[in-house]
Amino acid sequence: MANSKKLLSTEPLDPSANALVEAVDACLERHVLPGQRVVVGLSGGMDSVCLLHMLVQLKDHRQRTFNIAALHVHHGLSPFADQWDVFCSDYCQQLHVPYANVRVEVERSSRDGLEAAARRARHAVFAAAEADWFMLAHQRDDQAETLLFNLLRGSGIAGVAAMREQSGRLLRPMLGISRDAIERYVLRHQLEWCEDESNADTRYSRNFLRRSILPALTLRFPATTKNLAAAASRFAEAHDMLDELAIADLGASVAEFPLSLQKLAVLSEPRARNLLRYLLAGQNVQIPSEARLREALRQMLDADPDRHPALVFGRHRLLRRRGWVYLEPVAACADKR
C-alpha cells in the first residue's frame, strides 16, 4: 500500500531544490494573505503528501504566516480506504497539522462513470470546507492527461482549457511541475505515501491514458506532457477571451436567463453558441458537447413559432417560450408550456 521510507526529514529546506518549491512559494505570494487558512486536499498519494510537506517547510523556513490544515475524503471504494485514512491522520500528526476526514457516498451507477462520480463527491466536500483557500496537488502530467481526456470525449474549449492555478478558492500550485520533479522532492525528503491500487486498472479512461497512451506518446515526443500542459494554458486564455466576447454580445442585458431570442438571432452561429455556453456556465450547468450545444441553438432559433423546444442538460432544461430562452430545473418545467 505504501512505500517504506522515512516520513519526515529534519533537514532544512534547500533553496536550490528545484522549480517545485519556488512554484508553490510563488503561488502563496500571489494568493494567500497572512493569517488565512489553507486546507490541503490530502489523499495520501505522493503528490498531496509532497504538497503538504512543502507547505509546512515553507511556513517554517520562509516565515509564511498562513494557517495549514488537511482534509481527507474517504470514498469507501477501495478495501484499503480505512488504511489511507489512518496513514493521513498519522502523517498530519507528525507534521503538527490539523486533520479532518469526510466520508462520502459515491454514486456507483452514475451515467458518466465512477471516476466522474467520485470527483463530484470530492469537490462537493471541497466546496463546503471551512477555508480561505483549498489547495490541490494536481501537477503537469495531470494537466496533460486532463487535456487529452477532454479532447477525446469531444469537449469544447472550456474542457480543453483543463485546470487552472486558481478556480474560485481552489488553488493548484504545482500545475506547471513535472511528476519527475515531485518524485525527486519526495525521495530527497524520504517521504512515505500510499499507492491507490485502482490506478493500475486501465478499464478507467484516465488510467488508460496515463499508463498506456501518454508513455507511448512521450517515447516518440519527449516533451508531450510539457507541450500539452502549455496548450491547456493557451486554451484557457482563449476561453477567457470568449467570455469577454459573450459579455460584449450581451450588451446592456444581464448575464442570466431568460435570454431574448432576438439577442441570439442577430449573432453569427459561433457567437450565439458562445453566448449560450457562457450563460449556462454562469448557472453552474455542466456544458454539453459542442454538437449538443449547436443542436440546442438550432432548435431555439429555427423551430416554428407555435413550437416550444426543450432540451435537458443534466438537472436543468433549456426551453423556448414566447420569444425567450429559459433555463429551469427539470422538476420546475412541467406543465409550464
Side-chain angles (χ1 to χ4, degrees):
M1 179 187 68
N3 293 288
S4 179
K5 297 185 182 296
K6 184 179 178 183
L7 186 62
L8 179 62
S9 171
T10 58
E11 192 177 351
L13 185 66
D14 180 359
S16 64
N18 53 35
L20 175 59
V21 174
E22 299 307 325
V24 175
D25 196 34
C27 181
L28 292 171
E29 182 69 26
R30 282 191 292 272
H31 301 290
V32 180
L33 298 175
Q36 287 191 322
R37 188 170 193 257
V38 175
V39 175
V40 176
L42 182 65
S43 67
M46 180 174 65
D47 296 343
S48 64
V49 162
C50 173
L51 177 59
L52 184 59
H53 180 273
M54 195 181 321
L55 288 172
V56 171
Q57 293 279 295
L58 286 168
K59 186 171 171 30
D60 290 346
H61 296 286
R62 294 194 180 176
Q63 287 76 53
R64 295 289 183 187
T65 56
F66 61 92
N67 299 306
I68 309 174
L71 178 64
H72 175 74
V73 179
H74 189 303
H75 298 88
L77 298 176
S78 168
F80 302 109
D82 289 340
Q83 295 179 45
W84 297 341
D85 182 17
V86 172
F87 168 84
C88 291
S89 177
D90 291 346
Y91 182 50
C92 288
Q93 186 175 2
Q94 293 186 50
L95 291 175
H96 305 292
V97 169
Y99 173 77
N101 70 345
V102 176
R103 291 176 179 257
V104 296
E105 291 290 333
V106 177
E107 185 184 358
R108 294 174 183 261
S109 59
S110 173
R111 287 187 301 176
D112 51 356
L114 192 61
E115 288 177 294
R119 193 172 300 109
R120 280 197 302 273
R122 280 197 303 278
H123 279 268
V125 172
F126 300 161
E130 294 183 4
D132 295 296
W133 298 101
F134 201 95
M135 199 167 278
L136 300 175
H138 295 119
Q139 32 86 352
R140 192 173 74 193
D141 294 53
D142 297 323
Q143 181 77 301
E145 173 193 308
T146 299
L147 170 61
L148 191 56
F149 176 73
N150 286 340
L151 280 172
L152 292 171
R153 64 198 292 260
S155 296
I157 196 165
V160 296
M163 298 179 286
R164 310 221 182 177
E165 178 183 272
Q166 180 191 358
S167 179
R169 62 175 185 155
L170 285 182
L171 290 178
R172 298 178 176 94
M174 303 198 301
L175 270 185
I177 302 301
S178 70
R179 180 172 286 119
D180 288 345
I182 293 170
E183 288 176 353
R184 287 195 297 272
Y185 182 96
V186 166
L187 292 174
R188 178 179 179 276
H189 290 276
Q190 298 182 304
L191 303 183
E192 183 180 281
W193 69 94
C194 300
E195 290 287 353
D196 185 343
E197 80 289 347
S198 71
N199 287 337
D201 189 346
T202 54
R203 290 176 300 175
Y204 297 119
S205 297
R206 287 178 179 270
N207 290 346
F208 174 68
L209 292 175
R210 185 184 309 128
R211 290 184 167 268
S212 301
I213 302 304
L214 282 170
L217 287 173
T218 302
L219 281 175
R220 177 62 64 92
F221 307 102
T224 289
T225 57
K226 180 180 179 181
N227 289 340
L228 285 175
S233 295
R234 292 191 291 272
F235 283 130
E237 290 180 357
H239 179 264
D240 289 343
M241 287 189 285
L242 287 174
D243 280 353
E244 291 175 8
L245 180 62
I247 293 169
D249 285 339
L250 277 169
S253 301
V254 179
E256 60 185 31
F257 291 99
L259 174 68
S260 167
L261 203 61
Q262 185 178 5
K263 182 75 71 173
L264 287 174
V266 299
L267 298 174
S268 67
E269 193 273 344
R271 287 176 70 160
R273 186 162 24 96
N274 179 61
L275 178 55
L276 204 55
R277 174 199 59 78
Y278 176 76
L279 293 177
L280 288 169
Q283 297 299 312
N284 297 316
V285 175
Q286 184 174 356
I287 306 301
S289 68
E290 287 297 305
R292 187 153 171 75
L293 198 58
R294 188 176 287 109
E295 175 61 17
L297 179 65
R298 187 193 67 78
Q299 291 196 32
M300 295 300 112
L301 292 175
D302 296 346
D304 293 336
D306 61 338
R307 306 294 295 175
H308 304 284
L311 291 92
V312 175
F313 297 142
R315 297 178 182 176
H316 291 80
R317 181 177 297 164
L318 195 71
L319 66 156
R320 192 187 78 176
R321 288 200 305 264
R322 295 183 291 275
W324 292 82
V325 178
Y326 291 82
L327 180 76
E328 299 177 356
V330 170
C333 294
D335 302 323
K336 282 194 175 185
R337 293 179 289 168

